[in-house]
Amino acid sequence: MKHLHMLMAAITVALYLYQVSFLVRGTKPALSKAFKGASHAVYMALVLTGLYLFWQIYQVAGMQMWAVLKVILLVVAVSANIKAIRPSTTPVQTKAGFVIAGLAYLGILWLAVVKPM
């Protein structure tokens, strides 16, 4: 299950970088329904596998605050990403959304590697 979770995390970061590439090029993304559906499926698989792994950790070691913080940061990243790709956002809001999402993804990565107690 951990490998599937890591695969979904890598795909999530790849989707984020793909969306940021539109910002770098200076265009608004015209994301198809298939892309949106695929991103929803990836986010759902990421959350479900993450919750399963969280439950396994909880069974062995109890509540781990770094894992709870990862869930919170994922909510922040997804909500900022959604705000950034909405057609009604201004360029400043788009940049801010992508920066916030990027920082949240970096925080998740740091927590996944370090696992501070």
Side-chain angles (χ1 to χ4, degrees):
M1 189 62 72
K2 183 176 179 179
H3 290 90
L4 178 62
H5 182 71
M6 291 172 59
L7 175 65
M8 291 301 112
I11 293 172
T12 300
V13 171
L15 289 172
Y16 167 76
L17 292 175
Y18 173 72
Q19 292 169 349
V20 169
S21 71
F22 286 105
L23 176 67
V24 172
R25 289 183 278 180
T27 61
K28 269 290 202 194
L31 303 174
S32 67
K33 287 188 178 188
F35 181 86
K36 290 179 183 178
S39 65
H40 280 89
V42 168
Y43 281 136
M44 182 60 69
L46 179 70
V47 168
L48 290 177
T49 57
L51 289 174
Y52 177 75
L53 292 171
F54 179 77
W55 177 73
Q56 284 184 327
I57 291 169
Y58 180 77
Q59 295 295 320
V60 174
M63 183 65 70
Q64 299 294 313
M65 292 314 292
W66 60 267
V68 174
L69 187 56
K70 281 176 62 175
V71 173
I72 293 169
L73 284 173
L74 180 65
V75 170
V76 169
V78 170
S79 64
N81 201 7
I82 289 169
K83 179 64 176 171
I85 62 173
R86 281 201 176 141
S88 61
T89 58
T90 64
V92 173
Q93 290 173 326
T94 301
K95 289 176 187 174
F98 281 136
V99 166
I100 291 168
L103 290 173
Y105 285 133
L106 286 174
I108 291 170
L109 180 64
W110 180 79
L111 287 169
V113 172
V114 175
K115 294 178 181 60
M117 292 297 166

